[in-house]
Amino acid sequence: MEKKPFVTKEQLDQIVARYPTPFHLYDEKGIRENARLVRKAFAWNPGYKEYFAVKANANPAILQILKEEGCGCDCSSLTELMLSKACGITGEDIMFSSNDTPAEEFAYARKLGAIVNLDDITHIDFLEQNGGIPETISCRYNPGGVFEFGNGIMDNPGDAKYGMTTEQIFKAFRILQGKGAKKFGIHAFLASNTVSNDYYPTLAKRLFELAVELKEKTGADIRFINLSGGVGIPYRPDQEPNDILKIGEGVRQVYEEVLVPAGLGHVALYTEMGRFMMGPYGCLVTRAIHEKHTYKEYIGVDACAANLMRPAMYGAYHHITVMGKEGEPCDHKYDVTGSLCENNDKFAVDRMLPKIDMGDLLVIHDSGAHGFAMGYNYNGRLRSAEVLLREDGSTRLIRRAETPHDLFATLDVTGVQIPYEDVEG
């Protein structure tokens, strides 16, 4: 099976004439259509809001598009908060879900009026000392053990560093009430990249039941429940994608079953999706520059794990299209590699692809989330540009490629003069 890129060979030829490879390319049309579909899936809940997980793609141009589509920001660091503010996203349009949080980050989140989502009961006093306890606050829940849903799909929250135990979250609510908190939220993230319509409804039922018990035992005024992220995408072409409309309907049924009879039919639902919002709407564009014939057949490209870490870090699958050869048989077995001095710097291992010639353009799919954002500078490799493919077919450079000047800027304190002039171009 084959995935179809959101850009044609003819379009890409024009784009690479303006922007040298490698670069990440984003599909504005797809981003907007998907955001509207998500909003439609949860339109039955008047307070619904998607807080886009900034860690998935921290480009201001992307955040502004999503802001226009009604999304807020889920932030987990000082600089993500700063980016959100720069895009005009402040106040309760920010959910600050962090862990092991430095004092200045809590203080800045409070300054912006963000909703603080506390990861641990010990953070209550720390927040009180560094920004103060707000009237509206959220607590992150971790039920422990194994989380199972659907056809035996599961994850292991008990091994995760995030969230409070059941006993702790009840205690935290009471402590926060005593410190002046008036309105409460609950948050949980129990499984990652689920390709199943069952995950959100199953998670929702557990959180809804917790909300009812919290209300009954603490008297807390629960205003929202945050289902966080975890809704995945089909990285492999033979996977069935999630149906967000079915997911939304599944959550609605549980809402009517659990919350409404308990007098909690006013509770707003929030989500914090990154991968589902952006993953399929970005790709890494790279060019074949070397071929090697040893014990295996290798194709070397001008991108590397510094541009897309997931295959090297997780062994994650990202589909590859050789542009212009979509109709040709996949009768060549290749490892597609980058230039890092690490043997795991491979975008594909033993991948069956059409014959690749030097100069061919390769599209590495589904890099819109956790692609550029996870980049780094190992081996002194420079991070790539980011380009937005607009709805009208034009392009906009939304991040220039790094230069050696950028890489060495923080070394000014050493007094060493870097010989930039020795390198042409």
Side-chain angles (χ1 to χ4, degrees), residues 304-306 339-342 344 375-382 407:
C304 65
S339 58
L340 293 188
C341 296
E342 296 290 340
N344 66 350
Y376 58 109
N377 289 121
Y378 180 63
N379 264 181
R381 293 296 169 188
L382 302 174
L407 184 65

Side-chain angles (χ1 to χ4, degrees), residues 26 66 88 101 126 154 164-165 167 176 232 255 261 306 380 395 397-398:
Y26 304 114
L66 291 170
T101 310
F126 193 72
M154 65 178 66
M164 305 181 196
T165 67
E167 180 182 354
L176 287 164
Y255 189 98
T395 56
L397 184 68
I398 57 175

Side-chain angles (χ1 to χ4, degrees), residues 88-100:
I89 302 169
T90 58
E92 293 194 355
D93 285 337
I94 298 175
M95 183 73 62
F96 186 54
S97 297
S98 63
N99 66 94
D100 197 17

Side-chain angles (χ1 to χ4, degrees), residues 64-89:
Q64 287 167 336
I65 289 171
L66 291 170
K67 177 190 174 187
E68 290 170 9
E69 297 300 335
C71 300
C73 283
D74 163 45
C75 298
S76 57
S77 70
L78 178 67
T79 51
E80 290 181 0
L81 289 167
M82 293 169 69
L83 274 171
S84 298
K85 182 186 178 186
C87 293
I89 302 169

